[in-house]
Amino acid sequence: MAKLDEITELLTDELEGLKQMLVKLEQLSEELTSSETVKDISLIRNELEELKRTQEHYFQGQDTRTIEIEEQLKKAQIIPEWLLLLVCLILIISLSISGYLGYQVVQSSEEKESAFQEGKAANPTELNSYFKEHPDIYKDFLIWSRKDENPGQK
């Protein structure tokens, strides 16, 4: 009988533990049923859409401000592009004109040299015929050329 008493005592303890577990389970089920669960997520979706629109509006504002700043930076350059282009154009035109004028000077000096050589070759024959026609002028010319060679004499 002692064994039977022990078994009944164990069964009674187990039943008490089971009863306590059932009470806890009932409390938890009541808490779960009484708590609000989100049955409709449309509110959350609406809030997310509103947040998305707000962020898009904010980022568009940031983009426009960034573009405005870039334009202002382009305008605020130390040397504007049109001025740089104008200076380069003036330099190119100046160099072209200088080259052309240099070429003309070289050409004119060559022409002067060739004209001088032609005149030098033609001059004695023309002077000789003139001096043969006017011998007294030839004598005056010789006197003048001697004075030119010796500037100290009169």
Side-chain angles (χ1 to χ4, degrees):
M1 230 194 190
K3 289 233 182 208
L4 197 57
D5 283 337
E6 281 182 33
I7 293 176
T8 54
E9 214 175 293
L10 279 175
L11 281 174
T12 312
D13 288 339
E14 287 294 321
L15 284 174
E16 273 303 310
L18 186 60
K19 187 177 178 184
Q20 288 176 358
M21 291 297 280
L22 283 174
V23 169
K24 280 188 178 181
L25 187 59
E26 283 178 8
Q27 286 175 352
L28 287 174
S29 67
E30 282 179 21
E31 284 180 20
L32 285 174
T33 55
S34 67
S35 68
E36 292 183 31
T37 57
V38 179
K39 295 177 185 173
D40 188 19
I41 61 169
S42 63
L43 291 174
I44 295 174
R45 285 186 180 156
N46 289 338
E47 288 181 16
L48 283 174
E49 287 295 321
E50 183 64 31
L51 178 64
K52 183 179 175 183
R53 277 188 243 116
T54 306
Q55 285 180 340
E56 284 177 0
H57 179 69
Y58 176 76
F59 288 134
Q60 286 175 351
Q62 290 292 329
D63 290 342
T64 55
R65 281 189 229 125
T66 304
I67 291 169
E68 289 173 0
I69 290 171
E70 286 176 357
E71 289 174 2
Q72 288 175 354
L73 284 175
K74 284 181 182 178
K75 290 178 183 176
Q77 290 177 344
I78 294 175
I79 300 174
E81 291 177 10
W82 62 269
L83 182 62
L84 188 61
L85 182 65
L86 182 66
V87 168
C88 288
L89 188 63
I90 289 172
L91 283 174
I92 289 171
I93 290 172
S94 298
L95 288 174
S96 299
I97 290 172
S98 297
Y100 177 73
L101 291 176
Y103 176 75
Q104 290 297 324
V105 166
V106 168
Q107 288 295 92
S108 70
S109 65
E110 288 176 1
E111 287 177 13
K112 284 180 184 178
E113 183 67 30
S114 65
F116 177 75
Q117 293 300 330
E118 288 175 10
K120 189 176 177 184
N123 193 16
T125 58
E126 290 179 19
L127 281 178
N128 286 338
S129 65
Y130 179 76
F131 286 147
K132 283 182 183 175
E133 291 175 8
H134 307 313
D136 53 337
I137 293 177
Y138 180 65
K139 290 178 187 176
D140 289 339
F141 173 73
L142 289 175
I143 293 170
W144 174 78
S145 64
R146 284 188 199 132
K147 282 184 186 178
D148 206 25
E149 289 175 3
N150 299 324
Q153 296 177 350
K154 286 192 176 180

